[in-house]
Amino acid sequence: MTDLTMLRPEAEDGAISFARGFVKSDAFMQLFREGMGLVEATASYLDGDGRAESAALPREVSLTYATESMRLTTRLMQIASWLLVQRAVAEGEMSADQARNEHNKVRIAESMLQPSSAEAERLPQRLRDLVAHSVRLQERIRNLDEQMSGAGRPVAANPVRGQLESLQARLGLLR
């Protein structure tokens, strides 16, 4: 049974912050498994079939392959770090302050420039699929991270609170 208070922590302005409770949800665990599964699948590919496919590429495409595999690995390490920190907080292994310190060390970067479509088309399909999946996952996590930290978006005034205060004032209920 889910504890609804974990899924609905109150923000300072009284608004409900779903993002803060997200790390304790089943949806987060699905995201965690997806991210770690992608890390594992990528490592397996790059150490296995990817080596053979890379060796068979023309020299000019090999450079693009090397660049994209390094970018992919970097992106996945950032994703894995973020996921592990969030899970540690959710499980009580790390405090929110420790998580903020870790967050300052490892940030989910902006999406890196992708190779031109002509270059990308010459890369092995499996590498292209892994890159595309990692970019989508990175964007989802960046959005979550912004919601959780409150960064990047101005906090909107709570229109319901304003209406309640107005009604309370009219009824003489304000202190």
Side-chain angles (χ1 to χ4, degrees), residues 6-167:
M6 287 194 303
L7 297 176
R8 299 178 55 198
E10 297 289 324
E12 287 180 14
D13 66 353
I16 296 171
S17 172
F18 294 104
R20 287 189 181 95
F22 178 74
V23 296
K24 296 186 179 195
S25 70
D26 290 339
F28 173 76
M29 286 313 298
Q30 288 176 330
L31 179 67
F32 183 87
R33 285 189 294 273
E34 178 185 352
M36 294 313 212
L38 184 57
V39 168
E40 194 173 304
T42 299
S44 177
Y45 169 76
L46 291 175
D47 286 341
D49 293 343
R51 283 183 197 237
E53 290 176 349
S54 155
L57 293 172
R59 186 176 185 156
E60 65 276 5
V61 181
S62 291
L63 180 60
T64 302
Y65 180 95
T67 302
E68 289 311 304
S69 63
M70 286 177 54
R71 287 179 176 174
L72 174 60
T73 302
T74 301
R75 186 179 308 114
L76 289 175
M77 295 319 306
Q78 291 172 347
I79 288 170
S81 293
W82 187 88
L83 290 168
L84 289 167
V85 166
Q86 299 309 316
R87 186 182 72 172
V89 170
E91 293 179 354
E93 297 171 3
M94 182 181 283
S95 72
D97 286 337
Q98 289 171 317
R100 274 189 288 281
N101 288 337
E102 290 301 315
H103 183 270
N104 291 334
K105 293 178 191 173
V106 179
R107 294 195 181 271
I108 299 295
E110 296 285 332
S111 295
M112 297 176 200
L113 291 175
Q114 300 301 311
S116 71
S117 60
E119 289 175 318
E121 286 176 17
R122 297 180 70 187
L123 293 172
Q125 184 62 49
R126 181 71 178 131
L127 180 66
R128 289 187 285 167
D129 291 344
L130 291 167
V131 167
H133 189 172
S134 71
V135 168
R136 288 190 307 273
L137 186 60
Q138 178 187 37
E139 190 56 33
R140 286 169 43 206
I141 288 175
R142 275 181 31 76
N143 287 334
L144 276 170
D145 189 55
E146 285 178 4
Q147 289 176 17
M148 293 168 76
S149 68
R153 294 192 178 102
V155 176
N158 184 338
V160 175
R161 175 171 277 171
Q163 292 295 320
L164 285 173
E165 288 172 358
S166 175
L167 183 59

